[in-house]
Amino acid sequence: KQIIQMKRLYATLSQVNQTIVRVKDHADLYQSICDVSTKFGEFALAWIGILDTESGDIKPVAASGLDLAQWPFPQVNIHKGDLKNGLAATAMRTSKVVTSDDVAIDERTKQSQASIINYDYHSTAIVPFQLRGATIGILSLVSKEAELFKAQDEILLLKEMGGDISFALDNMQVEKQREQAVKEVIESEERFQKAFHSGPVGLA
């Protein structure tokens, strides 16, 4: 069982890395990661939540296995509410991978078990990721099998996955800033050219 799970995680990590190379947009990146996680990792649900720093809410922005438009789970807030000490909030606050052998009976998920039980979810891993050193979101991987994330090697793979997503986001930010700088230079040159050609003859 552990060998099979490791193979799934390796396959998921490989596909995530291929996605990182190919995708250049945040929304596409998040959705693609969720899609490959359910396809190659064979998870029942994969979703990504982004932290709203003002409210403390972790807002789902991409998912595979459930429809975001009909999201069945209560809102997670890292500062207040019944879920502030749950898996997602803890992973976000600590910037560490958090796992559960079985969310259906885990004390940390007690407040959301009424909705969880409808989907027969069990093992869960919450993988935080960062942008420029600050944790901004989490990837949640959910399985209908119990006790999947018990080996240290599995935790290391999940950490690597979070690190790779963080690396991709940092690169996207750098590229965005580079493109903005190039745009500003072009606009500045265009303004100069316009002023030069529309100015008095003596300017020449």
Side-chain angles (χ1 to χ4, degrees), residues 9-164:
L9 286 178
Y10 271 120
T12 304
L13 179 60
S14 174
Q15 292 299 318
V16 166
N17 287 336
Q18 290 183 41
T19 297
I20 285 171
V21 173
R22 175 175 52 84
V23 176
K24 304 301 179 183
D25 174 79
H26 283 198
D28 288 344
L29 176 66
Y30 295 151
Q31 187 59 55
S32 296
I33 289 171
C34 292
D35 291 342
V36 300
S37 295
T38 54
K39 181 177 180 180
F40 295 93
E42 299 183 26
F43 294 104
L45 171 64
W47 65 275
I48 283 179
I50 299 299
L51 178 65
D52 183 325
T53 54
E54 291 188 6
S55 67
D57 289 340
I58 301 176
K59 298 183 177 181
V61 297
S64 181
L66 282 178
D67 186 354
L68 280 180
Q70 299 178 357
W71 198 245
F73 307 119
Q75 177 64 62
V76 177
N77 188 288
I78 66 172
H79 303 305
K80 59 186 178 181
D82 295 334
L83 303 179
K84 67 179 181 180
N85 294 318
L87 305 181
T90 300
M92 188 73 77
R93 282 199 307 271
T94 63
S95 301
K96 295 180 179 180
V97 173
V98 175
T99 65
S100 173
D101 288 340
D102 193 342
V103 291
I105 59 174
D106 194 319
E107 187 67 24
R108 297 168 296 175
T109 61
K110 188 175 182 180
Q111 300 299 329
S112 56
Q113 285 172 2
S115 54
I116 290 173
I117 199 170
N118 294 328
Y119 297 92
D120 192 31
Y121 293 151
H122 294 285
S123 292
T124 300
I126 311 294
V127 183
F129 54 84
Q130 301 181 334
L131 175 61
R132 292 190 166 182
T135 301
I136 65 161
I138 51 101
L139 166 63
S140 177
L141 302 173
V142 186
S143 174
K144 291 189 176 183
E145 301 176 61
E147 300 183 349
L148 285 185
F149 305 105
K150 299 181 75 68
Q152 184 61 29
D153 287 344
E154 294 167 353
I155 304 301
L156 291 175
L157 281 179
L158 293 170
K159 288 181 179 179
E160 185 175 348
M161 194 178 302
D164 291 347

